Amino acid sequence: MITLNRACTRARAHRQVTTRRWLSQSRLDRLAEPVQFYISTSRDPYLNLSIEHYLLQNSAPESTILFLYVNRPSIIIGRNQNPWLEVNLALLNPVSNDTPETEPPGPGIVDLVRRRSGGGTVFHDEGNVNWTVICPPKEFTRDKHAEMVVRALRSCGIERSRVNERHDIVLDQGTRGADTELEDTHVTPYTRQAAGVRPLKVSGSAYKLTRQRALHHGTCLLASPNLHIIPDYLHSPAKPYITARGVESVSSPVGNIMLANERYIDAIRVKFAEMYPATNPIEHVEVGEDWLDLDPVRQGYEELKSRDWTFVQTPQFTISTKAEPSINLDMELTVRNGALSGGTLCRRNGEKILDLSEQLQGQRVQDVDSWSVTVSNMFEGIATAEARTLAAWLDTMLPVYGRHNSK
Amino acid sequence: MAAVIAGSGAAVAKLLQRPAQGLARCSRQQYLRLRAQHIQPAAARSFTAGRRGLEKKYTEDHEWIDISSPDSASIGISTYAAKALGDVVYVELPVVDTEVKKGDAIGAVESVKSASDIMTPVGGTILEVNSVLEDKPGTVNKSPEGDGWLAKIKVSDAAELEGLMDAEAYRAFTEEVDTK
């Protein structure tokens, strides 16, 4: 009896170990398959982007991958962008400020994420389904997979959709004109009539090109409840005062396609399969939090969440009060690698008062807890009233963000 | 940088057409003797070295390296690559003193919403980066194989330079890529 029990226990334990090993082995095998399709169960933008990066770095060089994911409300800035310039940081954390309730209600807490691909700033929420295609560089063009998405949308009856010259997907507005070629994904029956009426952007594209792989990902606004508030989040009060290197966003009016997530996902699945016929019909594989047990995914996740990646990665910029008539001083600060690297305080007539103190050189903007304390240290001997004015201005332009979060 | 090289090459060529004097600093007899020994006099050597393309070697990833001084070799992306990338709006350069292996990503270039990795053709240590590109990233498009150089590297293993393509081979390679 005892012998049998022990044998059973050992067999059960052995089976569990074998199953676990089999699962991870099959995950690795799958990365070698010529056509792969993944859908994420997670709403965490940091995790989804890390899984995406892992797929980019580890899938077989000749393979083609489709990855679909939805994020909780978040703002995703491009690799070489400036969060102080692109985003209204004060709005991002309603827990720690007194934003009045809006009607309809706002999105609650909104994450700020810097992605690894280029391009501009976009807003993600549950009404937006992101799509990624990873393929070999020799198969890559900037329009190829945006055209695939347009074919998917048109198969759902969205005949206003087309790819524009910026490789984004737009819905032409205005009245219907003559029929156009169905296969031409760059023009619709509404395009000619729409002169003067701007199309609505429903999907923005961005790319990451490595030695062996090409990644194209894009948003897709299906039914976002937050369209009315996106402009507020993506408008920074600091914009008139910042001169930045790096990449600025190109603003476009946006609109919802008004399609259910499931219908859209099915249409994409079909169009992807048409482009990349596999020996077996494409079944998607679910990915999610369990992928965090892969070291590279976890490391990428930690990096994307880090304040260093979000802020220190910012290209050099200067911020200046010159264009602010209500302030009687010219303060100019240079921020390099997210830290104060130089600054001057002058009278409006150009007469210099002070330089940025040596002590504050290298002060990371993201680490500032209080501008009133910091300004006094930045310009030693500055008059109290002037320090107060500048601190209040900096509180608005470079708001203290996330200093009290456990993130 | 490219214009300067071309200019000096043309000047030396004109001088060599006259009997060896002045720049060559040897008599015609000496020159003929040296030529018989298959030794190029200094002037002739700098002429061939000065022509654009002969000092550069290329990779299949469309990077170039100037091999004339492996202690401080300039690297960049080829004209072919710069055209394919489109207007460069931002260049991420490596940190000076970083040790890199052949094929490592040493920076990235952003153009048309794409972040494209730049790989180093050889292993070594980064000595210098082209800070002009911080303010004027478009220099990569205007002069990708000249003023638009990205970084200077101290080559650690000269043998790695052997496997790279010369200008002719690279031109043939890009034509093949285009017809695929």
Side-chain angles (χ1 to χ4, degrees):
Chain A
M1 276 294 128
I2 298 171
T3 324
L4 194 59
N5 276 347
R6 217 179 289 147
C8 280
T9 317
R10 217 180 310 137
R12 206 179 312 131
H14 177 74
R15 200 167 43 237
Q16 280 173 347
V17 169
T18 328
T19 310
R20 247 201 312 256
R21 205 181 302 138
W22 177 81
L23 275 176
S24 56
Q25 188 56 43
S26 79
R27 185 158 54 182
L28 293 173
D29 287 340
R30 210 174 296 121
L31 287 168
E33 274 167 39
V35 182
Q36 304 164 37
F37 179 18
Y38 301 96
I39 301 185
S40 178
T41 56
S42 169
R43 293 276 179 274
D44 183 341
Y46 305 100
L47 176 60
N48 287 328
L49 286 173
S50 301
I51 293 175
E52 185 194 69
H53 191 67
Y54 180 82
L55 292 173
L56 175 68
Q57 308 278 69
N58 294 281
S59 51
E62 293 304 312
S63 66
T64 304
I65 298 184
L66 173 67
F67 177 38
L68 302 178
Y69 55 97
V70 175
N71 289 328
R72 64 191 182 224
S74 43
I75 295 178
I76 318 289
I77 65 174
R79 183 198 182 86
N80 297 311
Q81 292 207 292
N82 183 324
W84 293 285
L85 178 61
E86 298 289 336
V87 181
N88 189 336
L89 289 174
L91 270 189
L92 282 192
N93 203 345
V95 174
S96 60
N97 68 23
D98 308 308
T99 349
E101 284 296 317
T102 56
E103 179 56 54
I109 294 186
V110 177
D111 288 307
L112 174 65
V113 187
R114 181 190 297 272
R115 61 177 186 271
R116 299 183 200 279
S117 57
T121 302
V122 286
F123 190 98
H124 288 187
D125 62 26
E126 276 92 354
N128 168 64
V129 178
N130 300 296
W131 52 274
T132 303
V133 178
I134 300 171
C135 69
K138 60 178 172 358
E139 309 289 330
F140 166 76
T141 76
R142 287 199 176 89
D143 281 336
K144 192 176 200 179
H145 298 106
E147 291 166 352
M148 177 190 82
V149 176
V150 166
R151 284 197 294 276
L153 291 174
R154 288 183 180 182
S155 74
C156 297
I158 315 293
E159 61 166 1
R160 289 175 183 271
S161 60
R162 66 174 165 92
V163 180
N164 76 359
E165 53 295 332
R166 297 196 74 240
H167 320 292
D168 297 331
I169 300 177
V170 298
L171 295 182
D172 278 329
Q173 303 302 297
T175 50
R176 200 178 199 284
D179 279 346
T180 54
E181 278 292 318
L182 209 66
E183 284 80 52
D184 188 344
T185 48
H186 291 253
V187 72
T188 75
Y190 303 82
T191 310
R192 295 208 201 301
Q193 307 306 312
V197 182
R198 286 185 79 179
L200 292 181
K201 177 175 167 184
V202 294
S203 166
S205 288
Y207 309 83
K208 172 123 183 84
L209 308 175
T210 69
R211 188 165 181 223
Q212 294 195 308
R213 307 289 268 147
L215 178 148
H216 177 180
H217 60 188
T219 53
C220 199
L221 276 175
L222 297 177
S224 164
N226 295 307
L227 284 196
H228 62 289
I229 209 161
I230 289 176
D232 293 344
Y233 279 88
L234 301 190
H235 176 89
S236 165
K239 197 162 163 128
Y241 310 106
I242 290 184
T243 312
R245 293 177 183 166
V247 174
E248 286 197 27
S249 295
V250 172
S251 196
S252 311
V254 293
N256 276 326
I257 294 171
M258 297 319 290
L259 201 57
N261 287 15
E262 285 311 310
R263 202 156 162 230
Y264 166 78
I265 289 172
D266 276 336
I268 297 247
R269 179 202 308 262
V270 167
K271 293 305 168 195
F272 180 72
E274 274 171 24
M275 279 180 84
Y276 302 104
T279 41
N280 302 315
I282 296 208
E283 272 309 311
H284 73 267
V285 171
E286 282 187 353
V287 301
E289 276 179 29
D290 53 314
W291 278 52
L292 280 171
D293 34 281
L294 288 164
D295 275 339
V297 176
R298 170 155 289 280
Q299 280 159 18
Y301 178 74
E302 299 298 337
E303 183 180 31
L304 287 185
K305 285 196 89 153
S306 73
R307 283 167 73 81
D308 277 6
W309 169 256
T310 309
F311 293 105
V312 171
Q313 178 75 7
T314 307
Q316 182 169 311
F317 68 97
T318 54
I319 181 166
S320 157
T321 56
K322 243 191 202 90
E324 178 49 66
S326 70
I327 295 189
N328 209 7
L329 294 163
D330 275 348
M331 175 184 66
E332 183 171 290
L333 299 174
T334 304
V335 179
R336 190 177 165 84
N337 298 325
L340 297 176
S341 68
T344 53
L345 188 64
C346 303
R347 303 235 167 269
R348 284 288 177 180
N349 62 11
E351 174 206 331
K352 175 134 76 147
I353 314 173
L354 286 163
D355 280 313
L356 179 75
S357 71
E358 285 237 5
Q359 178 200 357
L360 267 283
Q361 299 251 1
Q363 166 67 50
R364 288 196 166 163
V365 174
Q366 78 210 49
D367 289 341
V368 169
D369 271 321
S370 150
W371 281 110
S372 29
V373 171
T374 308
V375 169
S376 316
N377 293 329
M378 277 160 57
F379 298 111
E380 282 163 7
I382 185 176
T384 322
E386 293 176 340
R388 210 181 316 132
T389 312
L390 292 173
W393 187 79
L394 284 168
D395 271 331
T396 316
M397 301 305 150
L398 305 177
V400 174
Y401 169 71
R403 286 294 287 159
H404 308 291
N405 280 359
S406 48
K407 271 196 253 183
Chain B
M1 195 168 107
V4 167
I5 294 170
S8 67
V12 174
K14 224 186 298 175
L15 282 164
L16 279 178
Q17 275 156 21
R18 291 193 248 111
Q21 46 177 255
L23 192 72
R25 279 188 223 293
C26 59
S27 69
R28 179 140 180 83
Q29 264 188 323
Q30 275 179 321
Y31 172 73
L32 287 170
R33 207 180 315 129
L34 285 171
R35 203 177 62 177
Q37 293 167 27
H38 300 287
I39 298 169
Q40 298 283 340
R45 194 172 27 200
S46 63
F47 163 66
T48 50
R51 257 178 60 204
R52 265 187 68 210
L54 289 180
E55 293 258 71
K56 286 211 185 82
K57 290 257 192 144
Y58 296 80
T59 70
E60 291 191 354
D61 295 321
H62 309 287
E63 293 108 17
W64 58 265
I65 177 166
D66 176 4
I67 61 167
S68 61
S69 49
D71 277 341
S72 173
S74 297
I75 52 186
I77 64 169
S78 68
T79 309
Y80 179 88
K83 257 196 217 111
L85 280 175
D87 286 340
V88 173
V89 294
Y90 189 70
V91 181
E92 258 175 275
L93 294 165
V95 173
V96 170
D97 290 337
T98 315
E99 304 248 341
V100 293
K101 293 194 304 292
K102 177 184 166 100
D104 275 355
I106 54 160
V109 150
E110 177 155 352
S111 63
V112 199
K113 305 196 278 196
S114 321
S116 308
D117 282 346
I118 308 287
M119 277 66 69
T120 167
V122 295
T125 316
I126 304 288
L127 296 172
E128 204 187 320
V129 297
N130 187 357
S131 49
V132 164
L133 299 181
E134 290 182 24
D135 239 342
K136 298 198 175 85
T139 313
V140 175
N141 294 110
K142 284 203 203 78
S143 174
E145 302 199 19
D147 292 333
W149 62 275
L150 297 173
K152 293 205 172 118
I153 187 170
K154 182 179 162 76
V155 181
S156 55
D157 182 5
E160 282 181 343
L161 297 169
E162 303 297 312
L164 303 177
M165 291 180 272
D166 65 15
E168 265 308 310
Y170 178 67
R171 196 178 12 253
F173 171 73
T174 56
E175 276 159 23
E176 204 192 308
V177 168
D178 278 339
T179 52
K180 272 218 192 99

